[in-house]
Amino acid sequence: MKKLNTSPISGTQEFLPSTQAIFDNLKSTIQKTYHAHGFLDIDTPVLERSEILFAKAGGDTEKQIYKVKKTGEDPTKPADEALRFDHTVPLARYIVEHENDLNFPFKVSQIGKNFRGERAQKGRFREFYQCDVDIIGRSSLPIFYDADIIDTLLDTYQNFNLTTPVIVRISNRKILKGFLEGLNLQDKSKDISSIIDHSEKVPREKTEQNLTEIGLDEHEKEKILKFIDLNGGKDEIRSGLLALGVSNPILDEGIEELGTVLNILESIGHENTKADLRIIRGLDYYTGTVFEFALPDYPEVGSVGGGGRYDNLTEYFSDQKFPGVGGSVGLSRLFFIINEKNLLGSTLKSPLDYAVIPLSDAEIPYALEVAKDLRTRGASVTILSNDKKLSTALGHASKIAKNAIVLGEEEVKNKSYKIKRFKD
Amino acid sequence: MKKLNTSPISGTQEFLPSTQAIFDNLKSTIQKTYHAHGFLDIDTPVLERSEILFAKAGGDTEKQIYKVKKTGEDPTKPADEALRFDHTVPLARYIVEHENDLNFPFKVSQIGKNFRGERAQKGRFREFYQCDVDIIGRSSLPIFYDADIIDTLLDTYQNFNLTTPVIVRISNRKILKGFLEGLNLQDKSKDISSIIDHSEKVPREKTEQNLTEIGLDEHEKEKILKFIDLNGGKDEIRSGLLALGVSNPILDEGIEELGTVLNILESIGHENTKADLRIIRGLDYYTGTVFEFALPDYPEVGSVGGGGRYDNLTEYFSDQKFPGVGGSVGLSRLFFIINEKNLLGSTLKSPLDYAVIPLSDAEIPYALEVAKDLRTRGASVTILSNDKKLSTALGHASKIAKNAIVLGEEEVKNKSYKIKRFKD
């Protein structure tokens, strides 16, 4: 027999059942928290028309799209179908398609696999779970919902019960936009955004050098560097920006919105939130609130989730305007980090409650009766049909279940059983 | 703007949130029932090596496999990766890959999407959910587990609470195999199996004609037709086969196994089970027990699930032998039928428990407090930030939630609220 490679392909994940149970538990926590916050789930197809995916994609994303063909289709013709690379493009298509049957603001959650042909790297996957929440308005959407999204995600991370804190850093794209307009630097907005975005990952001198390279003078550089340092509470940021002497209506709007979002989160009692103007979240997409989740004890890990406000979700598919705000937990990546850093307090428990072991076939009917009874009381129960020695069956049981129940003639006669509890 | 087609591609399904909630509820019932019966979940990648999928595939399945390429990859070269078309091939690969870390018998469940490039037809999908349970032994697997799989699936259908009964018809491939050997017709086994498999869907004369066409004489035809009619209880089947005067050790083994499976299911109290020798379930794969679920009130629907025993799951990937038994609920197809025939007794309920409506931004903090409190008690709660008229907000609330809570100055002052219950 030709020996085939049976490992999963690189960039995909598969787990042993005990690890899978932990993964599923996190996924279920996400689902429950999203639902508790009033989000309704949808499940769009993984297969999408290529023209839909390519309408918005560009640059790296476009290169990463997986195209799909049936066996026998002409391989030289362009592929009509492709695999979705995120939940946002399918959501935009869904909103346009089902607009008249939805209630706006539409609070929607999407939990599922996405696909990107990235070069495989540690902690980066080509097939991965993303867990998105979005709130979509028709024509307009109050700023309250920006806080609603962040509140939902904060509760989600909290419900994971990690052994390390999770913080969210929040900014508003209007602040930088207005600030650059006030400095008459709006033409360099793309470059400057990118430099600020990277400023945390490089030494200070490198950031200064980057700013020089795009042609800023000493005065402009100083303003940008001071802007980057403004990462205290909302009042410090407001007074800091005033002290920089820049005045602009878009800047004021951004500060106002950021303040509102922070106030709401504070009023709910969230403590792990702070304003940080270095948060950019990519270049083109977001137009207002932006936020990013991180583990402050593990700065090397970077972002473990984030999102923001966008002016128009459906700009490539419709003339109507659907502003929205959304965020996501990158579950596959987060789970990789959780395992690598050992961030779950609870140790691995056996996934099943009971293993019932009939000593011979004669005890199978009673084993079924016991199992059925335990299941009606909510337990998970497996029956180990004992074709081997009892010690083998007990060894097996101890690996998959918290308790064993051994049934022989005596137990059947007395309609009784004893529960043997395995040590955790 | 170029108007793009925003419908989901043909052969895929997407639902409005209220329908999605019902679908998710069925999926969750399947998950819970499988887990209650001691199955551990795994989640293999959707992307598989082409050589793994093609090792076993053949005929129609091979033509239906979706191949996958990144943008920029040479389109004329064979694709290294493809989308899985079922859960069985990935499971075989998984078992070989992780053999040393698994406990056998390995009771495993797989719930996820599979992909087949079928011609789109009513109730047939190209991207669809399948929900499989399998029990895999190393070298051997007691017959008890065949009943364990059927018991699990019967409980699953029962937990759906459909308004129509679900029955399972059971046979054993050894019976037909031994019967044909006894008649010295083993060379025509493939043709005869196929004719019996189709005998329910065509008139009696057509079955007779088919048997004539493959060269059976009158005596042989009569035996096969009598065999087809043997669909009573196990005792009738046993005596019926004896009356046909055919004696063969494999036939005896098959009858014995079928009797054991039926006895076990009867001892648990399952009533909707019956032996039926017309159940074949395809040609090559199964080697012992075979079974099929159906809705007797809707015979035109055909099978809504099924499975069987196979001698060696991993024959294409390993020299070791892993016999198993498995079955599945084809959730996407079943859900299509459930909707078409209206088989769920309960009517559609609003998916959320509460919509909280603050009359102005001043009441938002109290709205958040109320929502948080209700969520800690297990409720799903959304807050509708009221930028429109109260009547609009109440209209929205009535569509998504069972109850509304309107909060104004008075409620904030008294730290109170009234619950408005919408009619179901």
Side-chain angles (χ1 to χ4, degrees):
Chain A
M1 176 176 299
K2 186 188 159 201
K3 176 78 184 138
L4 296 174
N5 181 352
T6 56
S7 65
I9 62 177
S10 88
T12 67
Q13 285 181 301
E14 73 183 9
F15 305 120
L16 290 173
S18 50
T19 309
Q20 186 68 48
I22 303 173
F23 184 91
D24 289 348
N25 196 32
L26 292 180
K27 183 145 72 85
S28 154
T29 298
I30 295 172
Q31 263 163 337
K32 280 182 200 155
T33 312
Y34 288 180
H35 193 237
H37 280 261
F39 290 85
L40 305 178
D41 208 38
I42 65 166
D43 183 9
T44 66
V46 165
L47 295 171
E48 280 282 356
R49 286 175 221 287
S50 300
E51 60 176 6
I52 291 285
L53 296 183
F54 282 95
K56 171 157 190 294
D60 281 351
T61 310
E62 184 158 326
K63 276 182 229 139
Q64 292 170 356
I65 291 179
Y66 278 112
K67 293 172 175 175
V68 163
K69 279 214 167 144
K70 273 181 278 181
T71 306
E73 273 189 271
D74 183 347
T76 60
K77 284 199 183 154
D80 291 336
E81 297 176 16
L83 303 183
R84 67 177 183 206
F85 56 87
D86 71 7
H87 283 129
T88 308
V89 180
L91 176 61
R93 179 190 58 67
Y94 182 95
I95 298 273
V96 173
E97 179 69 13
H98 302 289
E99 188 203 333
N100 295 326
D101 296 311
L102 301 173
N103 299 297
F104 294 92
F106 179 41
K107 289 180 69 166
V108 58
S109 53
Q110 296 179 90
I111 296 176
K113 282 180 171 178
N114 289 315
F115 300 82
R116 287 183 200 176
E118 290 200 80
R119 212 157 42 84
Q121 311 169 45
K122 196 179 140 212
R124 291 262 167 204
F125 299 100
R126 303 202 288 159
E127 171 174 339
F128 53 95
Y129 277 96
Q130 274 192 316
C131 308
D132 290 35
V133 271
D134 288 273
I135 307 174
I136 314 297
R138 202 203 294 259
S139 312
S140 71
L141 184 73
I143 185 76
F144 162 76
Y145 290 107
D146 298 44
D148 196 13
I149 287 279
I150 299 173
D151 174 36
T152 303
L153 292 172
L154 275 169
D155 272 3
T156 305
Y157 285 104
Q158 196 174 312
N159 290 342
F160 288 155
N161 289 315
L162 303 184
T163 56
T164 192
V166 178
I167 60 156
V168 63
R169 298 186 297 163
I170 309 172
S171 184
N172 190 302
R173 293 286 288 267
K174 289 176 185 169
I175 298 177
L176 180 60
K177 190 173 186 230
F179 184 69
L180 294 181
E181 275 189 23
L183 289 171
N184 205 21
L185 283 172
Q186 61 272 31
D187 292 348
K188 299 202 162 100
S189 152
K190 209 169 169 175
D191 285 335
I192 295 172
S193 296
S194 173
I195 292 167
I196 296 177
D197 199 19
H198 284 87
S199 65
E200 274 189 281
K201 294 167 205 141
V202 299
R204 183 71 163 194
E205 300 72 41
K206 180 68 185 157
T207 300
E208 254 191 275
Q209 191 191 321
N210 287 339
L211 292 171
T212 310
E213 276 171 15
I214 61 165
L216 299 204
D217 64 27
E218 287 307 308
H219 172 79
E220 289 164 342
K221 268 164 53 181
E222 196 198 321
K223 298 267 183 196
I224 302 290
L225 290 170
K226 283 198 170 146
F227 180 91
I228 290 176
D229 289 338
L230 290 173
N231 61 355
K234 64 184 180 298
D235 296 328
E236 292 95 318
I237 287 185
R238 188 189 290 269
S239 59
L241 285 170
L242 284 174
L244 285 175
V246 179
S247 157
N248 176 281
I250 298 175
L251 171 62
D252 292 342
E253 208 180 303
I255 295 179
E256 195 54 41
E257 288 184 3
L258 178 59
T260 302
V261 169
L262 289 168
N263 276 339
I264 292 174
L265 292 173
E266 198 179 292
S267 81
I268 316 173
H270 285 302
E271 284 166 3
N272 293 332
T273 61
K274 71 182 205 181
D276 190 328
L277 300 187
R278 287 170 300 180
I279 299 301
I280 302 284
R281 302 285 303 166
L283 293 173
D284 293 330
Y285 189 53
Y286 296 115
T287 50
T289 302
V290 280
F291 53 90
E292 207 165 277
F293 291 86
L295 311 172
D297 293 345
Y298 301 92
E300 74 280 12
V301 157
S303 158
V304 295
R309 157 77 70 147
Y310 36 89
D311 266 349
N312 190 3
L313 176 68
T314 60
E315 56 180 325
Y316 296 94
F317 307 133
S318 167
D319 295 322
Q320 254 201 288
K321 204 172 161 186
F322 292 96
V325 56
S328 78
V329 176
L331 179 57
S332 292
R333 196 173 122 73
L334 181 69
F335 190 64
F336 177 84
I337 294 161
I338 284 174
N339 277 327
E340 196 186 55
K341 311 282 182 195
N342 195 18
L343 301 182
L344 281 175
S346 54
T347 54
L348 186 58
K349 297 252 166 55
S350 300
L352 299 179
D353 297 316
Y354 298 94
V356 178
I357 305 171
L359 284 176
S360 77
D361 286 356
E363 288 86 27
I364 282 182
Y366 184 50
L368 289 161
E369 195 183 316
V370 170
K372 192 174 176 177
D373 179 53
L374 290 168
R375 283 178 195 134
T376 57
R377 291 190 261 148
S380 54
V381 190
T382 194
I383 296 172
L384 297 177
S385 176
N386 183 28
D387 58 338
K388 290 169 195 145
K389 279 187 303 186
L390 176 59
S391 60
T392 314
L394 278 172
H396 181 180
S398 71
K399 284 177 196 146
I400 58 169
K402 298 182 189 73
N403 306 282
I405 296 173
V406 179
L407 302 177
E409 273 178 50
E410 200 66 18
E411 282 77 14
V412 174
K413 212 176 69 189
N414 302 326
K415 289 276 173 188
S416 70
Y417 59 84
K418 271 187 280 190
I419 295 172
K420 177 181 166 57
R421 185 162 179 76
F422 298 116
K423 288 206 185 79
D424 283 337
Chain B
M1 175 176 300
K2 186 189 159 201
K3 176 78 183 137
L4 296 173
N5 182 352
T6 55
S7 66
I9 61 177
S10 87
T12 67
Q13 285 182 300
E14 73 184 9
F15 305 121
L16 290 174
S18 50
T19 309
Q20 187 67 48
I22 303 173
F23 184 91
D24 289 348
N25 195 33
L26 291 180
K27 182 144 75 83
S28 155
T29 298
I30 295 173
Q31 262 163 338
K32 281 183 200 154
T33 311
Y34 287 0
H35 192 237
H37 280 262
F39 290 85
L40 305 178
D41 209 38
I42 65 167
D43 182 10
T44 66
V46 165
L47 294 170
E48 281 282 355
R49 287 175 219 287
S50 300
E51 61 176 6
I52 292 284
L53 296 183
F54 282 95
K56 173 158 188 294
D60 282 349
T61 309
E62 185 160 324
K63 277 183 230 141
Q64 292 171 355
I65 291 179
Y66 278 113
K67 291 173 176 174
V68 162
K69 279 217 169 140
K70 272 180 279 182
T71 308
E73 273 189 273
D74 183 346
T76 61
K77 284 198 183 156
D80 290 337
E81 298 175 16
L83 303 183
R84 68 179 181 204
F85 56 87
D86 71 7
H87 283 130
T88 309
V89 180
L91 176 61
R93 180 190 58 66
Y94 182 95
I95 298 273
V96 173
E97 177 70 12
H98 302 288
E99 185 203 336
N100 296 326
D101 297 310
L102 300 173
N103 299 297
F104 295 91
F106 178 41
K107 288 179 70 166
V108 58
S109 52
Q110 296 180 90
I111 296 175
K113 282 179 171 178
N114 289 315
F115 300 83
R116 285 183 201 177
E118 290 200 79
R119 213 156 42 83
Q121 312 169 42
K122 196 177 139 216
R124 290 262 168 204
F125 300 99
R126 303 201 288 156
E127 171 175 340
F128 53 96
Y129 277 96
Q130 273 191 317
C131 307
D132 289 35
V133 272
D134 287 274
I135 306 174
I136 313 296
R138 202 202 294 259
S139 312
S140 71
L141 184 73
I143 184 77
F144 162 75
Y145 291 108
D146 299 43
D148 198 12
I149 287 279
I150 298 172
D151 174 34
T152 303
L153 292 172
L154 276 169
D155 273 2
T156 305
Y157 286 104
Q158 196 174 313
N159 291 341
F160 289 155
N161 288 316
L162 303 184
T163 54
T164 191
V166 178
I167 60 156
V168 61
R169 299 185 300 163
I170 310 173
S171 183
N172 190 301
R173 293 286 286 267
K174 289 176 185 169
I175 298 177
L176 180 60
K177 190 175 186 228
F179 184 70
L180 295 181
E181 274 188 24
L183 289 171
N184 205 21
L185 283 172
Q186 60 272 33
D187 293 349
K188 298 202 163 101
S189 151
K190 211 170 166 176
D191 285 336
I192 296 172
S193 296
S194 173
I195 291 167
I196 295 177
D197 198 22
H198 285 87
S199 65
E200 275 189 281
K201 295 167 206 142
V202 299
R204 184 72 163 193
E205 301 72 42
K206 178 69 184 156
T207 300
E208 254 191 277
Q209 190 192 324
N210 288 338
L211 292 170
T212 309
E213 277 170 14
I214 61 165
L216 300 203
D217 64 26
E218 288 306 310
H219 172 79
E220 289 163 343
K221 266 166 51 180
E222 194 198 323
K223 298 265 183 195
I224 302 291
L225 290 171
K226 283 198 169 147
F227 181 90
I228 291 176
D229 290 339
L230 290 172
N231 62 356
K234 63 183 180 300
D235 295 329
E236 291 96 316
I237 287 185
R238 188 189 291 269
S239 59
L241 286 169
L242 284 175
L244 286 175
V246 179
S247 157
N248 177 281
I250 297 176
L251 170 63
D252 291 343
E253 209 181 302
I255 294 179
E256 194 57 41
E257 288 184 3
L258 178 60
T260 302
V261 169
L262 289 167
N263 276 339
I264 293 174
L265 292 173
E266 197 179 293
S267 81
I268 317 173
H270 286 301
E271 284 167 3
N272 293 332
T273 61
K274 71 183 206 182
D276 189 330
L277 299 186
R278 287 169 300 179
I279 299 301
I280 302 282
R281 300 284 304 166
L283 292 173
D284 294 330
Y285 190 55
Y286 296 115
T287 51
T289 302
V290 279
F291 53 90
E292 207 165 276
F293 292 85
L295 310 173
D297 294 344
Y298 301 92
E300 74 280 12
V301 157
S303 158
V304 295
R309 156 78 70 146
Y310 36 89
D311 265 349
N312 190 5
L313 175 68
T314 62
E315 57 182 324
Y316 297 93
F317 307 133
S318 167
D319 295 324
Q320 253 200 289
K321 205 172 162 186
F322 293 96
V325 57
S328 77
V329 176
L331 178 57
S332 293
R333 195 173 122 73
L334 181 67
F335 190 65
F336 176 85
I337 295 161
I338 283 174
N339 277 326
E340 196 186 55
K341 310 282 183 195
N342 194 18
L343 302 182
L344 281 175
S346 54
T347 53
L348 185 57
K349 297 251 166 57
S350 300
L352 300 179
D353 297 317
Y354 298 94
V356 178
I357 304 171
L359 284 177
S360 78
D361 286 356
E363 288 86 27
I364 283 183
Y366 184 51
L368 288 162
E369 195 182 317
V370 169
K372 192 174 175 179
D373 179 55
L374 290 168
R375 282 177 196 136
T376 58
R377 291 189 262 149
S380 54
V381 189
T382 195
I383 296 172
L384 296 177
S385 176
N386 184 28
D387 59 338
K388 290 171 195 144
K389 278 187 301 184
L390 176 60
S391 61
T392 315
L394 278 173
H396 182 180
S398 72
K399 283 176 196 148
I400 59 169
K402 297 182 190 73
N403 307 281
I405 296 174
V406 179
L407 301 177
E409 272 178 52
E410 199 66 19
E411 282 78 13
V412 174
K413 211 175 71 187
N414 302 326
K415 290 276 174 190
S416 71
Y417 60 82
K418 272 187 278 190
I419 295 172
K420 177 181 168 57
R421 184 162 180 77
F422 297 116
K423 288 206 186 78
D424 283 337

